[in-house]
Amino acid sequence: MPGAESKLMVQPQAMPADQMPLPEQNRDRVKDFKTNPVRAALEDPVSTFSIDVDTASYSFVRRSLREGALPQADTVRVEEMINYFPYDWKGPDSASIPFNSTVSVMPTPWNERTRLMHVAIKGFDAKPAEQPKANLVFLIDVSGSMNEQDKLPLLQSAFRLLVNKLKPDDTVSIVTYAGDAGTVLEPTKVSEKDKILNAIDTLAPGGSTAGEAGIRQAYRLAQKSFVNDGINRVMLATDGDFNVGQTDDDDLKRLIEKERKTGVFLSVFGFGRGNLNDQMMQAIAQNGNGTAAYIDTLAEAEKVLVEDASSTLFTIAKDVKIQVEFNPQKVSEYRLIGYETRALNREDFNNDRIDAGEIGSGHSVTAIYEITPKDSGGEKIDPLRYGQAAVNNGGVANADEYAFVKIRYKLPNEDASKLITTPVTSANEVAGFDQASIDQRFSVAVAAFGQKLRDEDATAKFGYDKIIEIATAARGADPFGYRSEFLSLVRLASALGGNR
């Protein structure tokens, strides 16, 4: 049109397909596992497992939900979610007994025909003045993949928090690995704190990951400064695979099993996403008198390394195993909620050569069984046609017991185990779920949430709203806000999962 201003419309050109950026590949490695099945007490009355005080799974779940996605089922280890929270279980009266166990039987919120057998363990809480000297070796992954804000920079901040928590007589060494291993800091007293913090601050990423060489060097330094009757621990911080040297999980397990005999314990801290080898972390932590945590925020670093420093560093019992024998006269069926990756053979319980989990100062550990009382009508397994139990004495010994709980453990510097036993009778019963303690009810809410995230049959008809209701009523004092955060995560899962 005359006098009108001409406009040139520029169409954006499509980028050729071969030049388009590829979506970031997620190379996280997580061990898959099947949920514990329901077992018939008449056929299979004994359940055996190692305790688990790791907390990595809860942090995985939190990060996934905050990023707008329900977590992958195999990242949800229900016992790690339950044991993430501090509980005020009754502890032992003196350090001569490292922990106390409390067993309760209560109604199941998600199934009126079953009951929950709740096993609560509390470690002796050593006062700071009683805690021995610490000899710590920081084994830090500085490979190229650590060059992200939630990896090496977060790691450096986390370890600075820990150093500021230590006592002047404690010792810190630093080993890094990337391509090959190197000693950044020889054993140094925390009284020279500035020297240690400077060594942490000057770490820089680059190279591939020679984790095996780093582990060997870290254990050598730990031995060099070994403290008799003290805390001797390698603290491995990494985002992923050991892709130089021994890289097979089984080879690394054997290496760690050999090194644990030296009396040096292990902590494994995972950082970041996309390259995280949780499967390897679990393997070496479980086989090296170790624990595993996942640090996704500075607040989590403060929880693990400052608030929980005593339980993270100061071991009061190792190779702790639980074995429960159920009485078929009282219990038809049972299932252990969680601990799938910690299952042991029945004969492993009395074998002191078999490794199991450790308990730190003040640690709380919880295990929950869902049990079906005999003749309750809630059985899922048909009875055996020819399976009636026979006893020579014409009756069943201890027929009034639900179960018999045995806990076997070793003191940190001993190789022979000790045994604690607890019969579970009607005296352990809680009449109504609302009459259970605040901590018991909250731990059950977490157990329900973990099962819900794994899409397990038991909680299929138990909505997120019911979990929120239980957890809200059992929130308690919550000084650090952990339980309030849990409630927000359940709400996120409900929104993402449609409150299924």
Side-chain angles (χ1 to χ4, degrees), residues 87-95 97-102 120-125 316 362-364:
Y87 301 106
D88 192 23
W89 310 137
K90 184 183 184 306
D93 297 324
S94 71
I97 301 175
F99 53 83
N100 181 66
S101 62
T102 304
I121 298 172
K122 180 73 170 183
F124 180 76
D125 196 356
I316 59 172
H363 246 146
S364 57

Side-chain angles (χ1 to χ4, degrees), residues 181-395:
T183 300
V184 172
L185 184 72
E186 290 286 340
T188 302
K189 292 289 185 184
V190 176
S191 56
E192 298 183 72
K193 184 184 296 184
D194 289 345
K195 183 177 179 181
I196 299 171
L197 295 177
N198 183 62
I200 292 172
D201 290 343
T202 55
L203 298 175
S208 54
T209 314
E212 176 218 345
I215 287 177
R216 292 185 185 278
Q217 177 65 2
Y219 275 98
R220 279 194 291 269
L221 281 180
Q223 284 300 313
K224 182 176 179 180
S225 300
F226 193 87
V227 179
N228 291 321
D229 299 321
I231 300 168
N232 298 278
R233 186 174 290 269
V234 171
M235 309 188 76
L236 166 60
T238 181
D239 77 327
D241 291 332
F242 292 180
N243 53 31
V244 176
Q246 281 182 347
T247 60
D248 181 79
D249 288 349
D250 289 335
D251 288 340
L252 289 168
K253 278 168 54 178
R254 282 188 285 271
L255 171 61
I256 293 296
E257 285 171 354
K258 177 183 175 183
E259 295 291 356
R260 78 166 184 247
K261 297 174 183 176
T262 66
V264 178
F265 286 64
L266 177 71
S267 293
V268 185
F269 304 98
F271 289 82
R273 289 190 72 173
N275 192 47
L276 188 71
N277 190 347
D278 175 67
Q279 182 172 321
M280 178 274 293
M281 287 172 54
Q282 292 292 318
I284 64 175
Q286 290 181 19
N287 288 273
N289 281 342
T291 57
Y294 176 67
I295 295 179
D296 57 336
T297 64
L298 191 58
E300 182 65 15
E302 186 173 24
K303 177 184 186 295
V304 172
L305 298 174
V306 178
E307 292 161 16
D308 299 342
S310 294
S311 55
T312 300
L313 299 177
F314 183 25
T315 300
I316 59 172
K318 66 181 181 181
D319 294 344
V320 183
K321 309 168 189 173
I322 298 179
Q323 186 168 82
V324 179
E325 180 183 352
F326 289 95
N327 177 8
Q329 299 297 312
K330 292 278 285 184
V331 177
S332 295
E333 298 168 355
Y334 69 90
R335 70 181 182 94
L336 176 59
I337 299 175
Y339 291 95
E340 287 88 354
T341 65
R342 297 298 183 119
L344 296 173
N345 295 323
R346 182 175 175 179
E347 64 270 20
D348 292 342
F349 184 74
N350 292 322
N351 185 350
D352 282 351
R353 297 183 63 186
I354 299 297
D355 184 58
E358 63 178 26
I359 289 181
S361 171
H363 246 146
S364 57
V365 184
T366 304
I368 302 174
Y369 285 90
E370 184 174 3
I371 63 175
T372 306
K374 191 173 182 182
D375 301 325
S376 68
E379 291 83 359
K380 296 183 181 298
I381 302 172
D382 291 336
L384 291 176
R385 182 176 177 87
Y386 308 107
Q388 184 61 40
V391 289
N392 295 328
N393 63 0

